[in-house]
Amino acid sequence: MSPSQVAHRTLPVARRTLKLTIAYDGTPFVGWQRQARGASIQGLIEDALRPIEGGPVAVHGAGRTDAGVHALGQVASFNFTASIEPARLRRALNTILPFEVRVLDAEEMPGDFHARFSAKGKVYEYRIDDASIASPFLRRYTWHVTPALDVDAMEVAAGALRGTHDFAAFQGSRTNVHSTERTIHRLEWSRGPGPRDPLVMEVEGNGFLRHMVRNIAGTLVGIGHGKWPPGEIDRILASRERAKAGATAPPQGLFLKRVLY
Amino acid sequence: MSPSQVAHRTLPVARRTLKLTIAYDGTPFVGWQRQARGASIQGLIEDALRPIEGGPVAVHGAGRTDAGVHALGQVASFNFTASIEPARLRRALNTILPFEVRVLDAEEMPGDFHARFSAKGKVYEYRIDDASIASPFLRRYTWHVTPALDVDAMEVAAGALRGTHDFAAFQGSRTNVHSTERTIHRLEWSRGPGPRDPLVMEVEGNGFLRHMVRNIAGTLVGIGHGKWPPGEIDRILASRERAKAGATAPPQGLFLKRVLY
């Protein structure tokens, strides 16, 4: 430790709370959360902050994205004592971090802000490449699905998922939550104007169970392939049984788009 | 060799000419052309065709894209004796090739068709990410350029390049062509409707010198940054000196979009 750091750490220091908005390409990572092996986004950010703080920093993400899942606007918060300005901190982090992780914004927050506990909701996108031949440029960022989908049927089924429901049938295993009730405020399928734009499911809710967005996407694709009629979605919800719903859509189609506060 | 292959190869066989339309993500490759070391697109396709033909196949590309350059519609041709139908050949190749290379189409052609010598022109795109913070999702497919560009000045300069000119000033080194005159039929800057869509230069011409599109993109970015006024492009063209033009834009922003016959 340098003399200036010793002096700094023996004085009473102001405890700050900072918020980061982060985009990442999840392809090369083990997921948001730090693991014993492999590069995680949380681990990279904590490691980048450590020399700036002159000590360990615990970074909390709004959601723990799985391996291969991407983010357009993940949010993280942490307590900090170093006096660096937010805009300079953002630039410093983007210099240290690999290009797959970009800090889009850094903001000073009130002391009670917490990326996860303060969140009121989240917006996810699930992207599907439904062209007969998979685009090499979309392969890391979509689920390639053939044959052609009945998007009208998927839209009808999506309507039954909007609102407040017990989503136990769409919950992944290895979870331990006290309630499986969640509210979906918005759930829409759309496609951009480009000839090769993917089919996108955008879903906004007050919270999501583990694998819930991917299980919804997998089930709606099953409906789009005529495996079930659109009305089956009500029976799947009512069953509360994971086995009744469709397959878990693969991680690379999923994007955490925005966290709502 | 199996008995059926021996029988096949001792009979007089029909010599076919086939045309492939190919998309590829150039990131992991040494370029189109087969090299002593590293994976090339030409090499992968030749290697994939060999067991189908039961012998070596020489594949000719319309253009030799450099390492890291992408294709939305590269065209290749080859002579072949195996009797496999074009649609089945396309599916077989897509099963063998890595996902970064996709055969979009396979067609039977007249015997005098040659991907390179029959081409009447080509269309390229050069894509630029001009947002202040580079998108992790565009990093492999754009040139990230800051500070903000004066796109109007770049449009004006682009106008001076349209038509028939001696493009010697925009020619890369290590070339040996008998004429440096080329015709640019179209050269336009545009941007898609999405909030994070890149800035795109689309250029159509009867032929392109080595590095010509990347040297044009680099020079127009210099003009967009105020390094030169738009009118400087006429003096650069007239000079016929590579040193007068701007830097060669990096390969990952370049896409061979279409070959014209």
Side-chain angles (χ1 to χ4, degrees):
Chain A
M1 217 179 258
S2 73
S4 69
Q5 281 176 311
V6 172
H8 177 77
R9 294 182 64 75
T10 54
L11 288 170
V13 287
R15 185 168 165 285
R16 307 163 66 191
T17 299
L18 285 154
K19 175 189 176 193
L20 302 178
T21 305
I22 308 155
Y24 48 83
D25 177 342
T27 311
F29 303 117
V30 295
W32 166 263
Q33 200 172 11
R34 191 187 270 277
Q35 309 277 330
R37 280 156 198 272
S40 67
I41 301 98
Q42 181 188 39
L44 286 169
I45 296 172
E46 288 181 347
D47 293 351
L49 287 169
R50 192 184 177 108
I52 303 170
E53 173 72 350
V57 180
V59 172
H60 306 283
R64 294 174 185 172
T65 56
D66 288 318
V69 172
H70 314 289
L72 301 169
Q74 166 75 289
V75 173
S77 63
F78 55 95
N79 294 320
F80 209 51
T81 61
S83 61
I84 185 169
E85 273 176 66
R88 239 190 93 212
L89 178 65
R90 171 176 62 72
R91 287 194 296 273
L93 288 173
N94 283 336
T95 306
I96 300 166
L97 291 165
F99 79 80
E100 288 93 346
V101 182
R102 291 293 91 184
V103 178
L104 305 178
D105 199 17
E107 295 164 81
E108 201 83 44
M109 298 299 282
D112 62 351
F113 178 80
H114 186 287
R116 184 159 154 225
F117 302 127
S118 306
K120 298 262 187 299
K122 294 200 190 91
V123 182
Y124 283 94
E125 275 188 14
Y126 195 89
R127 301 186 186 177
I128 289 175
D129 179 6
D130 59 344
S132 61
I133 300 171
S135 162
F137 305 103
L138 296 177
R139 179 65 192 270
R140 288 185 173 87
Y141 309 114
T142 55
W143 179 19
H144 180 234
V145 165
T146 56
L149 292 162
D150 179 349
V151 181
D152 290 342
M154 291 160 75
E155 275 283 12
V156 171
L161 292 170
R162 288 180 209 122
T164 303
H165 303 281
D166 182 338
F167 284 97
F170 295 96
Q171 180 181 28
S173 54
R174 295 185 291 130
T175 56
N176 183 21
V177 291
H178 58 268
S179 165
T180 49
E181 190 180 283
R182 295 289 184 277
T183 300
I184 290 184
H185 298 294
R186 206 156 46 84
L187 176 52
E188 287 152 7
W189 289 94
S190 65
R191 192 192 299 275
R196 241 3 213 99
D197 282 344
L199 185 64
V200 179
M201 177 180 88
E202 184 163 329
V203 54
E204 177 181 329
N206 67 346
F208 293 89
L209 301 165
R210 184 179 158 85
H211 288 179
M212 181 169 147
V213 180
R214 288 164 59 189
N215 290 339
I216 287 174
T219 304
L220 293 181
V221 162
I223 288 168
H225 278 159
K227 188 173 169 185
W228 305 290
E232 185 69 15
I233 206 88
D234 294 309
R235 281 183 288 277
I236 294 169
L237 269 175
S239 77
R240 304 188 67 251
E241 285 178 54
R242 175 68 191 90
K244 297 280 192 238
T248 306
Q252 79 276 2
L254 186 61
F255 291 72
L256 172 53
K257 190 173 183 183
R258 204 161 50 243
V259 185
L260 311 170
Y261 293 98
Chain B
M1 213 180 261
S2 72
S4 70
Q5 280 176 312
V6 173
H8 178 77
R9 294 183 63 74
T10 53
L11 288 169
V13 288
R15 185 169 166 284
R16 307 163 66 192
T17 299
L18 285 154
K19 173 190 176 195
L20 302 179
T21 306
I22 308 155
Y24 46 84
D25 177 342
T27 311
F29 303 117
V30 296
W32 166 263
Q33 201 172 11
R34 192 187 270 275
Q35 309 277 328
R37 282 156 196 270
S40 67
I41 301 98
Q42 183 188 37
L44 286 169
I45 295 171
E46 288 181 346
D47 293 351
L49 287 169
R50 192 184 177 109
I52 302 170
E53 172 74 351
V57 180
V59 173
H60 306 282
R64 293 173 186 175
T65 56
D66 287 318
V69 172
H70 315 289
L72 300 169
Q74 166 77 289
V75 173
S77 63
F78 55 93
N79 294 321
F80 209 51
T81 60
S83 61
I84 185 170
E85 272 175 66
R88 239 190 96 213
L89 179 66
R90 171 176 60 71
R91 287 194 297 272
L93 289 173
N94 283 336
T95 306
I96 300 166
L97 291 165
F99 79 81
E100 288 92 347
V101 183
R102 290 293 90 183
V103 178
L104 305 179
D105 200 16
E107 295 164 83
E108 201 83 45
M109 297 299 283
D112 61 351
F113 177 80
H114 187 287
R116 184 159 153 228
F117 302 127
S118 306
K120 299 262 187 296
K122 292 200 192 92
V123 182
Y124 283 95
E125 274 188 15
Y126 195 90
R127 301 185 185 177
I128 289 175
D129 180 6
D130 60 343
S132 61
I133 300 171
S135 162
F137 305 102
L138 296 177
R139 178 66 191 270
R140 288 187 175 87
Y141 310 114
T142 56
W143 179 20
H144 181 234
V145 165
T146 56
L149 292 161
D150 179 349
V151 181
D152 289 342
M154 292 159 74
E155 275 284 12
V156 172
L161 293 170
R162 287 179 210 124
T164 303
H165 304 280
D166 182 339
F167 285 97
F170 295 94
Q171 180 181 28
S173 55
R174 294 185 292 130
T175 55
N176 183 21
V177 291
H178 58 268
S179 164
T180 49
E181 190 181 281
R182 295 289 183 276
T183 300
I184 290 184
H185 299 294
R186 205 154 49 82
L187 176 53
E188 289 152 6
W189 289 94
S190 66
R191 191 193 299 275
R196 237 10 209 97
D197 282 344
L199 185 65
V200 178
M201 177 180 88
E202 185 163 329
V203 55
E204 177 180 329
N206 67 346
F208 293 89
L209 302 165
R210 184 179 159 85
H211 289 178
M212 180 170 149
V213 180
R214 290 163 58 188
N215 289 340
I216 288 174
T219 304
L220 293 181
V221 162
I223 288 168
H225 279 160
K227 189 174 169 182
W228 305 290
E232 184 69 17
I233 206 86
D234 294 308
R235 280 183 289 276
I236 294 170
L237 268 175
S239 77
R240 303 188 68 253
E241 286 179 52
R242 175 68 191 90
K244 297 281 191 235
T248 306
Q252 79 276 1
L254 186 61
F255 291 72
L256 172 52
K257 191 174 184 181
R258 204 162 47 244
V259 185
L260 310 171
Y261 293 99

